[in-house]
Amino acid sequence: MRDLDLLVIGGAGIDTIVHVDSLPVPAADSIHVPPIRDYVAHTGNGVALASHTLGLRTQFLDIIGDDREGRLILERYATTGLAFGFQLHPAGTRRSVNLVDKHGRRQSFYDGRHPDGLRLPEDLYRPHLERARHAHFSIMDWARHLYDDAQALGVPVSTDLHDWDGINPYHLDFALHSELVFVSGANLRDNRQHVVGRLLRDGRAAAVIVMDGERGSHYATREQPSLQRVPISPPPGTVVDSNGAGDSFVAAFLWARLGGAGWRSAMEAGAIAGAFACTQHGTHEHFINATALVSALGQATA
């Protein structure tokens, strides 16, 4: 019985946010900054919490540490009611330090810390995968080993390749074995149509979505392989932090598609949710809910 809308695999951690005047940061021995804060964050966390906020029946699975950071994650999910299953590992919980400038742009320093060869136990993920209508795999190395199970069970998978350049082989398993591929446009540059065309031709993707920040987003499908642009949605307030905007975009897109929306409508939902995220301090502290998203979609099409 497919009583789970979305299974999110991997991608919980802690972000330490440092606000600076500009990026890159000037060379100096010491720079005074506003208060530095830690947030429960990272990509899977953002997709899972945003989807949960939108009302999708969501299960999140990951590997964390028995440490302060892991306890912060467990406390957050207990408070929000997000279903979370986990395996403990002595390497600890993943972390990032993000520098964020006054325009909301960021530079991230990522500490993945988990060793090569790590695997998620089958008895942890398999029962949930059997229940899921859709799965979203973060690009953890161990997540790539779940594709065969998902395909055997007939569960479509999405992934976010983040700032992939279209070449790095680490991403290829995710890029070619997912039915829905999200990627940042940051490092694709003028090569994006070629990369998108390759994924549609050689991979399983029914659609590829290129997220490009304030420049809007693009999508292409097997039926319409030329990239189509969707403009940015006007933010409902002052832009203060772009951390987590892409994760909110992904969650709203999946919410729309799982609800029966077409590709263009799902793109518009993602754009609205991503713009909302940019008006919120921290990485994944607040998300748009379904009522506000439906209202914003109605205003956009009026």
Side-chain angles (χ1 to χ4, degrees):
M1 179 180 178
R2 304 287 185 175
D3 60 345
L4 185 65
D5 293 318
L6 180 63
L7 173 63
V8 180
I9 299 290
I14 298 297
D15 272 0
T16 298
I17 304 294
V18 183
H19 289 278
V20 296
D21 286 336
S22 62
L23 291 172
V25 176
D29 181 66
S30 180
I31 299 174
H32 290 279
V33 298
I36 297 171
R37 290 191 58 189
D38 290 339
Y39 297 92
V40 176
H42 294 195
T43 184
N45 167 79
V47 174
L49 280 174
S51 299
H52 176 66
T53 301
L54 287 167
L56 292 179
R57 296 167 297 180
T58 304
Q59 173 73 49
F60 187 22
L61 302 176
D62 201 4
I63 299 172
I64 61 173
D66 183 13
D67 48 23
R68 169 186 172 271
E69 290 74 27
R71 287 187 287 276
L72 288 174
I73 289 170
L74 295 177
E75 290 169 4
R76 177 76 188 277
Y77 299 159
T79 299
T80 60
L82 174 65
F84 183 58
F86 61 94
Q87 176 83 359
L88 292 175
H89 193 277
T93 303
R94 295 179 297 271
R95 299 198 64 177
S96 291
V97 174
N98 295 340
L99 307 184
V100 180
D101 72 9
K102 59 186 177 182
H103 302 293
R105 292 185 291 262
R106 70 164 184 171
Q107 182 176 18
S108 182
F109 301 85
Y110 176 62
D111 171 12
R113 73 176 52 211
H114 290 160
D116 293 338
L118 197 60
R119 297 289 183 272
L120 194 68
E122 185 176 359
D123 61 357
L124 177 59
Y125 73 80
R126 179 84 184 198
H128 300 296
L129 197 55
E130 291 172 349
R131 300 170 47 218
R133 296 174 58 202
H134 186 92
H136 182 80
F137 290 3
S138 301
I139 54 171
M140 308 291 107
D141 180 62
W142 45 263
R144 73 178 76 242
H145 301 284
L146 277 63
Y147 275 103
D148 287 345
D149 292 89
Q151 186 178 26
L153 292 168
V155 180
V157 177
S158 58
T159 193
D160 186 349
L161 305 177
H162 299 285
D163 59 350
W164 188 42
D165 59 2
I167 300 172
N168 189 336
Y170 177 90
H171 300 71
L172 283 178
D173 283 337
F174 300 94
L176 296 175
H177 292 93
S178 297
E179 283 78 8
L180 185 58
V181 176
F182 297 87
V183 62
S184 166
N187 287 330
L188 295 180
R189 300 184 176 89
D190 295 335
N191 200 35
R192 63 184 60 189
Q193 182 64 67
H194 173 76
V195 172
V196 168
R198 178 193 176 190
L199 298 186
L200 293 172
R201 182 184 67 251
D202 298 340
R204 294 180 187 160
V208 180
I209 292 86
V210 180
M211 300 177 291
D212 216 5
E214 65 269 20
R215 291 170 292 278
S217 54
H218 294 78
Y219 72 104
T221 67
R222 285 185 180 273
E223 295 75 21
Q224 192 169 13
S226 296
L227 283 166
Q228 308 294 309
R229 183 177 182 272
V230 176
I232 188 174
S233 176
T238 302
V239 172
V240 294
D241 195 335
S242 63
N243 282 294
D247 302 325
S248 287
F249 186 112
V250 170
F253 186 102
L254 295 177
W255 168 85
R257 287 293 293 171
L258 288 169
W263 296 117
R264 181 82 185 191
S265 294
M267 290 292 294
E268 291 169 351
I272 291 167
F276 177 90
C278 290
T279 66
Q280 307 298 310
H281 286 284
T283 305
H284 298 128
E285 293 301 288
H286 302 284
F287 304 91
I288 195 168
N289 60 37
T291 300
L293 183 50
V294 169
S295 175
L297 282 167
Q299 293 173 18
T301 57

